[in-house]
Amino acid sequence: MLNRPRRYLFFVELDYSFEILRPLQQAARARGCEVAWFLNGPAPEYLSEDESLLKTVSEVRTFAPDAVFVPGNEVPLSFPGLKVQVFHGLGIEKKGHFRIRGMFDLFCTFGPSTTGPFKQLAVKHGWFKVEETGWPKMDPLFAADAEARTDGVKTVLYAPTFSPALTSAPALADEIARIARERDWHWIVKFHPKMEERFAAPIRAIAAPNFEVVEEARMLPLLRLADVMLTDTSSAAAEFMLAGKPVVTYRNRAPGPHLINIVRVEELEGALDMAMRGEDPARHARGRYAEEMHPWNDGRSSERVLDAVENMLINGRAGLGRKPLNLLRRFKYWRVLPR
């Protein structure tokens, strides 16, 4: 019988992970659990004074987490505890979302569109479990006390992806600059943290009183501010649609009826205008898409993640095979993490 509170470790390699994990931390603390963070990349300054930082593998082993939560693709297999994948985005159309790397014991999926494929993979591989929980990052969006816009200013959130093959920034920069000068819409630009400056520079150079580039790592406050999102093939589009708002995409890799997808730059202003008026043909399909992607709109996805983990901690890996040895992935973190 466990004679101490559950201990959970959050393994972070990119700064947008904090927005994903902090609702989970809040739910865990409410249950009396202990939470610590291990940062492989982001600076310690991202943590607040009441958040515990572990700096070495030795400290992690002493902490002895019951589970390690990961909003990324990989995790040090030398860390104690269940390895729990909570994902870094909703972009299931992106390459690698359903790739099994042999590192996780439990996948916490968003909704039917992810649960089905991962359960098929669980049957195929036989050494991990899948539970549909919803995404902790979305909890504040659906919280009863979530703030809403009241100023009436029409706002475009431009959130291009970072991939050189997919980013819309070079193609749209001049047209966005023209629209920003000629229309009274407010523009907010949120770059992906991996965006190369050569792609970001033309957007940063746009000079207009109603145009701003934000360095804020969190996406949810921006989702609340904006009326329309403009993007390309970014997973942020799915987050925006969960809020019931329209998304205009430029040459999206997997266009569907839930998106207002354009293929020519000169279509941009008309598409944004139509979306602002609420007359876009995607509005009905958008609701169906959100239901398939993330039907959990009660703000309690973090609670379901913790329940799924607790269930696995109690029942162990009953019925599951052994995970692959993964020597190369073990060696990767052995080389870079402080001992």
Side-chain angles (χ1 to χ4, degrees), residues 95-265:
K95 182 180 179 181
H97 188 87
F98 295 104
R99 183 182 301 162
I100 302 301
R101 297 171 173 86
M103 311 186 83
F104 294 99
D105 303 288
L106 175 65
F107 289 79
C108 293
T109 54
F110 314 134
S113 58
T114 50
T115 305
F118 271 111
K119 285 202 169 181
Q120 291 177 6
L121 291 167
V123 172
K124 175 183 176 181
H125 293 285
W127 40 261
F128 60 84
K129 290 187 177 181
V130 177
E131 292 291 340
E132 185 177 300
T133 59
W135 199 25
K137 181 178 178 179
M138 293 293 101
D139 285 353
L141 182 68
F142 296 121
D145 59 351
E147 296 180 6
R149 284 281 304 281
T150 58
D151 58 15
V153 177
K154 295 296 185 181
T155 300
V156 181
L157 170 60
Y158 179 42
T161 193
F162 69 93
S163 168
L166 300 175
T167 187
S168 57
L172 296 183
D174 290 345
E175 183 67 359
I176 289 174
R178 181 192 69 78
I179 295 172
R181 291 192 300 267
E182 297 179 4
R183 302 294 295 262
D184 60 357
W185 300 330
H186 183 70
W187 285 78
I188 301 173
V189 178
K190 172 72 170 68
F191 291 123
H192 191 283
K194 290 185 178 180
M195 174 73 89
E196 295 181 36
E197 186 56 31
R198 63 189 173 108
F199 297 131
I203 302 296
R204 291 189 193 278
I206 296 174
N210 56 339
F211 189 90
E212 61 173 324
V213 177
V214 299
E215 303 301 331
E216 165 69 68
R218 296 177 301 157
M219 179 63 78
L220 290 186
L222 306 181
L223 299 187
R224 296 194 190 105
L225 284 173
D227 299 282
V228 177
M229 173 179 280
L230 171 61
T231 185
D232 27 59
T233 305
S234 170
S235 61
E239 297 177 33
F240 202 73
M241 283 184 285
L242 295 187
K245 298 179 180 182
V247 177
V248 175
T249 56
Y250 177 73
R251 298 189 175 184
N252 186 271
R253 185 177 182 179
H258 55 290
L259 299 172
I260 308 167
N261 189 56
I262 63 173
V263 296
R264 294 182 294 124
V265 172

Side-chain angles (χ1 to χ4, degrees), residues 11-22 37 71-72 88:
F11 181 70
V12 172
E13 297 193 286
L14 288 169
D15 57 10
Y16 54 63
S17 299
F18 296 98
E19 190 175 23
I20 300 167
L21 292 172
R22 282 193 169 119
W37 299 72
H88 63 272

Side-chain angles (χ1 to χ4, degrees), residues 64-112:
D66 297 292
V68 183
F69 295 88
V70 186
N73 295 327
E74 298 182 349
V75 60
L77 294 174
S78 61
F79 284 2
L82 290 177
K83 311 302 186 296
V84 184
Q85 169 65 274
V86 294
F87 299 98
H88 63 272
L90 300 173
I92 64 173
E93 74 281 354
K94 285 196 172 183
K95 182 180 179 181
H97 188 87
F98 295 104
R99 183 182 301 162
I100 302 301
R101 297 171 173 86
M103 311 186 83
F104 294 99
D105 303 288
L106 175 65
F107 289 79
C108 293
T109 54
F110 314 134

Side-chain angles (χ1 to χ4, degrees), residues 274-338:
M274 180 173 58
M276 290 288 190
R277 297 195 307 268
E279 300 174 358
D280 64 282
R283 58 190 181 276
H284 300 301
R286 193 162 55 244
R288 293 191 294 271
Y289 174 85
E291 187 66 21
E292 282 292 307
M293 175 64 72
H294 195 286
W296 305 98
N297 58 5
D298 58 358
R300 298 182 63 84
S301 292
S302 295
E303 296 285 349
R304 284 184 288 273
V305 169
L306 294 176
D307 288 344
V309 169
E310 182 64 21
N311 182 61
M312 195 166 182
L313 287 172
I314 292 172
N315 295 309
R317 295 179 52 83
L320 298 179
R322 294 183 60 183
K323 285 192 292 186
L325 193 54
N326 271 322
L327 291 176
L328 287 178
R329 295 188 191 278
R330 288 177 183 271
F331 181 67
K332 168 189 172 180
Y333 284 115
W334 181 84
R335 286 190 305 115
V336 300
L337 297 184

